[in-house]
Amino acid sequence: GEIPSFTNTGKDFFFLPRDSKESIYRDIVLLVRDKMPRQFKTTSNQIQVLSPMKKGNYGVEALNRLLQEQINPADDSKREINRGEVIFRQGDKVMQIKNNYDAEWVIHAYNGIETDRGKGIFNGDVGVITAINTYMKSLIVVFDDNKEVEYPFAQLEELEPAYAVTIHKSQGSEYPGIVIPIVDGPSMLFTRNLLYTAVTRATKCVIILGSREKLCEMIANKGEQLRYTDLTSRLEEALNG
């Protein structure tokens, strides 16, 4: 519940006050595409943008469109396929959003020789689209553990862009660096618990940008949805026979 230092003198936590959509968009792109990958000697795909929301200027839908355009823009050498308002493009970072126990995967060595195969891709798995075959109406995703999965176009509802994901979706995952826009939104979403979840996804660096006032409100907001169950009475019944 303590307000963090905003001096930006450390090496693993920074707050950047920004008050306009243009400046926030500009800095998110610079951080994810250029500065943080260079700082941590990694790729932009390893830097994760986390947002409390799906909708709005700073929700994951708008941020994914922004980052796709800046990190993996359209090019004659890249195939793409439209699904509703989403464009899936060769080179895009994507996430599996439901468990699919029947999805077949294969792992190839660097020389193309198959080394393993099996079934099962799960909610939260992240990969990159490596090929799109419009004739076969399918695309290939290679996940972080080198599992290659072929998705028929009819199955693309299992995937969504993952340059930015909701904090809720990030639970259980870790990233070298994360960027969190905190600007405005409903109090029921902007809670201390959610902020804690976001900050603890990073292994090396957290950068928050936006409104200092909103960040402080989020830290002070201990509200969360409580689950009321009959567990206590059932445990007592079990213990008492």
Side-chain angles (χ1 to χ4, degrees), residues 8 14 37 54 103 135 160 166 187 201 241:
N8 291 341
F14 301 91
K54 290 192 69 173
Y135 177 74
E160 65 182 23
T166 61
S187 296
R201 297 310 92 206

PDB file of all heavy atoms in Angstrom, residues 8 14 37 54 103 135 160 166 187 201 241:
ATOM      1  N   ASN A   8      12.889   7.552 -10.377  1.00  0.00           N
ATOM      2  CA  ASN A   8      13.478   6.845 -11.525  1.00  0.00           C
ATOM      3  C   ASN A   8      15.000   6.727 -11.416  1.00  0.00           C
ATOM      4  O   ASN A   8      15.724   6.790 -12.405  1.00  0.00           O
ATOM      5  CB  ASN A   8      13.104   7.543 -12.844  1.00  0.00           C
ATOM      6  CG  ASN A   8      11.625   7.394 -13.171  1.00  0.00           C
ATOM      7  OD1 ASN A   8      10.948   6.516 -12.639  1.00  0.00           O
ATOM      8  ND2 ASN A   8      11.120   8.252 -14.029  1.00  0.00           N
ATOM      9  N   PHE A  14      10.462   2.090 -13.412  1.00  0.00           N
ATOM     10  CA  PHE A  14      10.405   3.474 -13.877  1.00  0.00           C
ATOM     11  C   PHE A  14       8.951   3.889 -14.071  1.00  0.00           C
ATOM     12  O   PHE A  14       8.136   3.095 -14.541  1.00  0.00           O
ATOM     13  CB  PHE A  14      11.157   3.641 -15.206  1.00  0.00           C
ATOM     14  CG  PHE A  14      12.604   3.260 -15.138  1.00  0.00           C
ATOM     15  CD1 PHE A  14      13.012   1.968 -15.427  1.00  0.00           C
ATOM     16  CD2 PHE A  14      13.564   4.191 -14.777  1.00  0.00           C
ATOM     17  CE1 PHE A  14      14.345   1.598 -15.358  1.00  0.00           C
ATOM     18  CE2 PHE A  14      14.902   3.848 -14.703  1.00  0.00           C
ATOM     19  CZ  PHE A  14      15.299   2.541 -14.995  1.00  0.00           C
ATOM     20  N   PRO A  37      14.379  -3.940 -25.854  1.00  0.00           N
ATOM     21  CA  PRO A  37      15.123  -5.061 -26.451  1.00  0.00           C
ATOM     22  C   PRO A  37      16.627  -4.805 -26.495  1.00  0.00           C
ATOM     23  O   PRO A  37      17.429  -5.716 -26.255  1.00  0.00           O
ATOM     24  CB  PRO A  37      14.533  -5.152 -27.864  1.00  0.00           C
ATOM     25  CG  PRO A  37      13.174  -4.574 -27.743  1.00  0.00           C
ATOM     26  CD  PRO A  37      13.297  -3.466 -26.738  1.00  0.00           C
ATOM     27  N   LYS A  54      -9.551  -4.404 -22.189  1.00  0.00           N
ATOM     28  CA  LYS A  54      -9.540  -4.818 -23.596  1.00  0.00           C
ATOM     29  C   LYS A  54      -9.917  -3.662 -24.508  1.00  0.00           C
ATOM     30  O   LYS A  54      -9.376  -3.528 -25.598  1.00  0.00           O
ATOM     31  CB  LYS A  54     -10.523  -5.979 -23.821  1.00  0.00           C
ATOM     32  CG  LYS A  54     -10.102  -7.296 -23.208  1.00  0.00           C
ATOM     33  CD  LYS A  54     -10.955  -8.447 -23.721  1.00  0.00           C
ATOM     34  CE  LYS A  54     -10.669  -8.726 -25.190  1.00  0.00           C
ATOM     35  NZ  LYS A  54     -11.370  -9.947 -25.677  1.00  0.00           N
ATOM     36  N   ALA A 103      -5.026 -30.396 -30.384  1.00  0.00           N
ATOM     37  CA  ALA A 103      -4.152 -29.726 -31.353  1.00  0.00           C
ATOM     38  C   ALA A 103      -2.828 -30.476 -31.463  1.00  0.00           C
ATOM     39  O   ALA A 103      -2.146 -30.714 -30.469  1.00  0.00           O
ATOM     40  CB  ALA A 103      -3.906 -28.276 -30.925  1.00  0.00           C
ATOM     41  N   TYR A 135      -3.749 -21.145 -50.055  1.00  0.00           N
ATOM     42  CA  TYR A 135      -4.297 -22.257 -50.843  1.00  0.00           C
ATOM     43  C   TYR A 135      -4.852 -23.345 -49.926  1.00  0.00           C
ATOM     44  O   TYR A 135      -5.960 -23.843 -50.120  1.00  0.00           O
ATOM     45  CB  TYR A 135      -3.224 -22.842 -51.757  1.00  0.00           C
ATOM     46  CG  TYR A 135      -3.688 -24.035 -52.560  1.00  0.00           C
ATOM     47  CD1 TYR A 135      -4.547 -23.886 -53.654  1.00  0.00           C
ATOM     48  CD2 TYR A 135      -3.282 -25.323 -52.205  1.00  0.00           C
ATOM     49  CE1 TYR A 135      -4.991 -24.984 -54.378  1.00  0.00           C
ATOM     50  CE2 TYR A 135      -3.713 -26.429 -52.929  1.00  0.00           C
ATOM     51  CZ  TYR A 135      -4.567 -26.258 -54.012  1.00  0.00           C
ATOM     52  OH  TYR A 135      -4.998 -27.351 -54.719  1.00  0.00           O
ATOM     53  N   GLU A 160      -5.347 -14.842 -30.748  1.00  0.00           N
ATOM     54  CA  GLU A 160      -5.510 -13.396 -30.792  1.00  0.00           C
ATOM     55  C   GLU A 160      -4.135 -12.738 -30.738  1.00  0.00           C
ATOM     56  O   GLU A 160      -3.158 -13.351 -30.265  1.00  0.00           O
ATOM     57  CB  GLU A 160      -6.390 -12.900 -29.654  1.00  0.00           C
ATOM     58  CG  GLU A 160      -5.851 -13.084 -28.273  1.00  0.00           C
ATOM     59  CD  GLU A 160      -6.829 -12.585 -27.201  1.00  0.00           C
ATOM     60  OE1 GLU A 160      -8.045 -12.497 -27.467  1.00  0.00           O
ATOM     61  OE2 GLU A 160      -6.365 -12.283 -26.095  1.00  0.00           O
ATOM     62  N   THR A 166      -4.153  -8.528 -21.714  1.00  0.00           N
ATOM     63  CA  THR A 166      -4.691  -8.046 -20.454  1.00  0.00           C
ATOM     64  C   THR A 166      -3.860  -8.599 -19.294  1.00  0.00           C
ATOM     65  O   THR A 166      -3.248  -9.668 -19.404  1.00  0.00           O
ATOM     66  CB  THR A 166      -6.151  -8.465 -20.264  1.00  0.00           C
ATOM     67  OG1 THR A 166      -6.236  -9.893 -20.246  1.00  0.00           O
ATOM     68  CG2 THR A 166      -7.033  -7.900 -21.371  1.00  0.00           C
ATOM     69  N   SER A 187     -12.951   1.969 -11.675  1.00  0.00           N
ATOM     70  CA  SER A 187     -12.316   1.633 -10.396  1.00  0.00           C
ATOM     71  C   SER A 187     -12.383   0.147 -10.100  1.00  0.00           C
ATOM     72  O   SER A 187     -11.483  -0.404  -9.457  1.00  0.00           O
ATOM     73  CB  SER A 187     -12.988   2.417  -9.258  1.00  0.00           C
ATOM     74  OG  SER A 187     -12.783   3.801  -9.412  1.00  0.00           O
ATOM     75  N   ARG A 201       4.960  -9.803 -13.050  1.00  0.00           N
ATOM     76  CA  ARG A 201       5.204 -10.604 -14.270  1.00  0.00           C
ATOM     77  C   ARG A 201       6.623 -10.371 -14.801  1.00  0.00           C
ATOM     78  O   ARG A 201       7.114 -11.149 -15.617  1.00  0.00           O
ATOM     79  CB  ARG A 201       4.210 -10.229 -15.373  1.00  0.00           C
ATOM     80  CG  ARG A 201       2.729 -10.472 -15.121  1.00  0.00           C
ATOM     81  CD  ARG A 201       2.425 -11.862 -14.620  1.00  0.00           C
ATOM     82  NE  ARG A 201       2.423 -11.873 -13.171  1.00  0.00           N
ATOM     83  CZ  ARG A 201       2.678 -12.958 -12.425  1.00  0.00           C
ATOM     84  NH1 ARG A 201       2.996 -14.101 -13.012  1.00  0.00           N
ATOM     85  NH2 ARG A 201       2.642 -12.900 -11.108  1.00  0.00           N
ATOM     86  N   GLY A 241     -16.977 -35.694  10.708  1.00  0.00           N
ATOM     87  CA  GLY A 241     -17.609 -36.945  10.320  1.00  0.00           C
ATOM     88  C   GLY A 241     -19.067 -36.747   9.965  1.00  0.00           C
ATOM     89  O   GLY A 241     -19.844 -37.693   9.964  1.00  0.00           O
TER      90      GLY A 241
END
